[in-house]
Amino acid sequence: MSSANSSSGRHRKAKPMSLAVRRAFIIAAVPVTGALLSAPSALAADKSTKSTATTAQSVAADGLDPAEQKIADNLNTRAQNPNLGDSFSGIVLDSASDKVIWGHDADTALMPASNAKLATATAALTVLGPEHRFTTKVVYGDGTLTLIGGGDRLLTTADVTELAKSAAAGVKSAGLGSVKIRIDDSLFAEPTLANGWNDSYYDDQVSPVRSLVVDGKLSADTSMDAGKVFAKQLADQGVTVDGEVTRGTASATDVPVGQHLSPTLAETVKKMLKTSDNDIAETMLRMTAIAAGKPATYEDGTAVVRDVLSRRYGVSMENFEIYDGSGLSRADRIPARTVADILDLLTDPRYGGLLRSIDEGLPVAGEAGSTLGPEWGRFDTPDSQCAVGQVKAKTGTLTGAIALSGLTKAADGRWKVFSFIENQSSADPAATKDTLDGLAATVNGCWA
């Protein structure tokens, strides 16, 4: 393994694009304190000074300064840990200069696991915009109230209760004795398994992807569950519900009687990344496809992701293959260099507003309630404990695949972007995660 300072394969920095043009162009715990949490403005400032700071700190035009060389030397040694196995892709970039400080098989495409959510989030924010909200509606027609799903993965029982109150008021004012209840989740096609998904995923990893869900619960039929919650809340409001909840499509002539707007997409993105929520990711992929004028399918959603990353941001799609939005697919392949290039967009001040929620949604080492929290045994070894509160990164875990990619301010005071992806190690997954945490602490410099 050796350090590298080549800039080949780096993304080109494009001009920002308005929301309207973006849509035409393509067709959303206990906090850990520390300097890291001031990241958004600091990242932008770091990137904006690269023209002067790089010259001052570099030994040569393309060389490594002493602090960077120490990172590279330590990674050369520590990345040989047998916990990483034989299939390991890693890279470290300096955010201000975009210089590659260290790399090992950085262009080798491996299963990224949930690191794929970074691509999904970037595309969604670019196409939809961070302030976008998803709408859940209730309409009435021909004796039936229809609850219409709009892709809100954060819809709660309390939200449905408010919809039921509004609908009940309409029913009573119309003098109706009873109503039928129907759910309409036709925004998405009938759920299918993605390429590379196992049948067992529906047991505990993800629900069949539908446009209507309440309380984010895993379920074989989230839409029907939501309809039953709605029916119960209506009954609690004194409305007689006639028969069982059915599935169908609302008529264009049905009368609106209630609607609920979700939290912003920015808030949804943050929730997805902090907890690595697979259901949010898959719904987000479909809503991005719809906003781009495409069908709500895995194929069209991932095509939009590739288009956004390559054409909007200049990220190389070489060796990039994704078949879902969550990274559950065992057919997904992304090189560490590409993941780092996506994260490096967060350090560009031109994208600070658009992509800020990705930066804010990355789990922070030691942050309870996130996938890097102590409840998951992360950053709790003698080598990595020093990086608690100093590293923020997206985790990724599948059988045979573990990833950690993020940002940290190194000992030289400059932001570093890193991506480490391991596949097929025979070591205990907990030991592999500890090793990756140690590599992140190495980039930070606290494990010197």
Side-chain angles (χ1 to χ4, degrees), residues 138-147 171 176-183 230-231 234 239-246:
V138 178
V139 297
Y140 174 80
D142 194 23
T144 300
L145 284 172
T146 304
L147 180 65
V171 168
L176 298 174
S178 65
V179 293
K180 296 178 181 178
I181 302 299
R182 175 173 60 194
I183 56 97
F230 180 60
L234 271 173
V239 175
T240 300
V241 176
D242 184 11
E244 299 296 322
V245 177
T246 61

Side-chain angles (χ1 to χ4, degrees), residues 272-349:
M272 176 185 73
L273 295 177
K274 286 290 185 188
T275 61
S276 203
D277 192 298
N278 297 319
D279 292 294
I280 292 177
E282 296 305 337
T283 299
M284 193 176 293
L285 182 76
R286 282 157 178 73
M287 296 307 292
T288 302
I290 291 171
K294 305 291 186 181
T297 65
Y298 295 110
E299 294 78 11
D300 289 286
T302 54
V304 172
V305 171
R306 289 191 294 271
D307 197 46
V308 169
L309 292 176
S310 60
R311 296 178 61 192
R312 173 68 176 92
Y313 297 112
V315 174
S316 172
M317 291 291 96
E318 186 174 359
N319 300 325
F320 181 97
E321 296 180 38
I322 58 170
Y323 297 92
D324 61 2
S326 61
L328 282 173
S329 175
R330 302 192 65 79
D332 288 351
R333 296 291 184 273
I334 306 179
R337 184 190 299 273
T338 304
V339 176
D341 280 351
I342 294 170
L343 283 166
D344 196 32
L345 297 172
L346 306 182
T347 72
D348 192 314

Side-chain angles (χ1 to χ4, degrees), residues 35 42 48 72 76 90 94 119 151 156 200 208-209 246 251 268 296 301 349 361 366 368 381 402 420:
S48 66
N76 282 338
D94 179 79
T156 66
S200 62
V209 187
T246 61
S251 169
T268 305
T381 68
I402 298 176
F420 304 124

Side-chain angles (χ1 to χ4, degrees), residues 184-247:
D184 181 348
D185 60 357
S186 60
L187 186 63
F188 298 169
E190 184 68 19
T192 61
L193 292 168
N195 180 21
W197 279 22
N198 294 329
D199 292 342
S200 62
Y201 284 174
Y202 284 161
D203 295 336
D204 59 4
Q205 295 296 316
V206 68
S207 297
V209 187
R210 303 180 191 275
S211 62
L212 182 59
V213 63
V214 174
D215 296 329
K217 295 178 180 178
L218 280 172
S219 169
D221 195 333
T222 60
S223 298
M224 194 59 67
D225 289 349
K228 292 176 182 178
V229 171
F230 180 60
K232 180 182 183 303
Q233 297 305 319
L234 271 173
D236 289 346
Q237 297 300 316
V239 175
T240 300
V241 176
D242 184 11
E244 299 296 322
V245 177
T246 61
R247 174 180 270 110

Side-chain angles (χ1 to χ4, degrees), residues 44-96:
D46 193 41
K47 178 72 82 174
S48 66
T49 59
K50 75 175 185 177
S51 60
T52 56
T54 301
T55 302
Q57 295 193 28
S58 295
V59 175
D62 293 319
L64 301 181
D65 65 36
E68 293 167 341
Q69 190 63 57
K70 186 172 184 179
I71 292 173
D73 290 345
N74 284 338
L75 287 175
N76 282 338
T77 299
R78 295 166 185 172
Q80 296 182 53
N81 190 307
N83 290 335
L84 299 179
D86 296 326
S87 296
F88 174 69
S89 179
I91 193 168
V92 178
L93 313 175
D94 179 79
S95 72

